[in-house]
Amino acid sequence: MEHLHAYWRMEYIEAPRDQAAGNPFTTLPALGDDTTALIIHRSKLSYLVLNRYPYNPGHLLAVPFRDVKDLTELKADERADLMDEIVFGKEVLRAAVKPDGFNIGFNLGTAAGGSISHLHGHIVPRWNGDTNFMPVIGQTRVLPQSLAAMYGRLKEVADKLSVKV
């Protein structure tokens, strides 16, 4: 096995986190403007938001409204609602961008990649052959569509699917 050394990452890992900026996962739903917040769907206890720093185009986050840090802090109805949002988000992505597969999961704790201390699930659409050298060598992600355009695309599908539910 070969190893790729990314020494530049240490600066990011050791950088202090600005706690004064607040938690965007609790402030976004309160903005009163889902387009600005990039929220594509709200349920009773959670919501789906387009990731501003996506791994792939259409990368969604499923987020409980209540400020919790871990799955164990969720009440039973919140767990069920959050899972329903994840399934709904997957179906929105399937209809809107037709991926070949998905990565779905949680980063629990900063060591696991949880850069914001608030529970949220990732729904990442994947396509056959979507891995490339740009993120590794060029430190750049290639996104074929703007966040605003992707938001419009996903929001339209989410609204149509919500009517059917």
Side-chain angles (χ1 to χ4, degrees):
M1 174 187 294
E2 291 189 38
H3 295 279
L4 176 65
H5 297 274
Y7 301 116
W8 56 269
R9 289 283 295 155
M10 203 61 191
E11 182 180 336
Y12 171 78
I13 292 167
E14 293 179 341
R17 302 292 180 243
D18 181 12
Q19 300 301 323
N23 180 344
F25 292 131
T26 56
T27 57
L28 283 175
L31 283 178
D33 181 357
D34 283 357
T35 301
T36 299
L38 299 178
I39 294 173
I40 69 158
H41 186 260
R42 291 172 181 254
S43 64
K44 182 179 176 189
L45 302 172
S46 54
Y47 65 96
L48 289 172
V49 62
L50 186 60
N51 190 337
R52 290 182 187 277
Y53 306 101
Y55 297 132
N56 267 352
H59 179 171
L60 293 174
L61 303 175
V63 187
F65 285 118
R66 192 165 66 86
D67 189 11
V68 298
K69 312 285 187 267
D70 194 86
L71 291 165
T72 58
E73 297 176 48
L74 291 172
K75 298 173 186 168
D77 59 341
E78 292 171 319
R79 283 193 307 270
D81 188 82
L82 186 60
M83 184 54 72
D84 286 346
E85 277 298 275
I86 290 169
V87 171
F88 183 75
K90 179 180 167 285
E91 292 310 305
V92 167
L93 289 167
R94 183 177 304 289
V97 297
K98 299 171 180 40
D100 297 316
F102 295 90
N103 290 123
I104 297 176
F106 295 88
N107 299 339
L108 302 174
T110 56
S115 58
I116 297 173
S117 186
H118 186 285
L119 178 67
H120 58 281
H122 294 261
I123 310 160
V124 182
R126 300 299 306 267
W127 293 268
N128 292 324
D130 70 2
T131 57
N132 63 59
F133 70 93
M134 288 299 288
V136 176
I137 303 299
Q139 300 177 27
T140 304
R141 293 199 190 280
V142 178
L143 300 174
Q145 191 170 41
S146 72
L147 283 177
M150 181 60 72
Y151 173 81
R153 193 172 177 181
L154 297 179
K155 179 72 171 138
E156 180 182 352
V157 172
D159 290 348
K160 285 179 184 175
L161 290 176
S162 291
V163 173
K164 294 179 182 179
V165 175

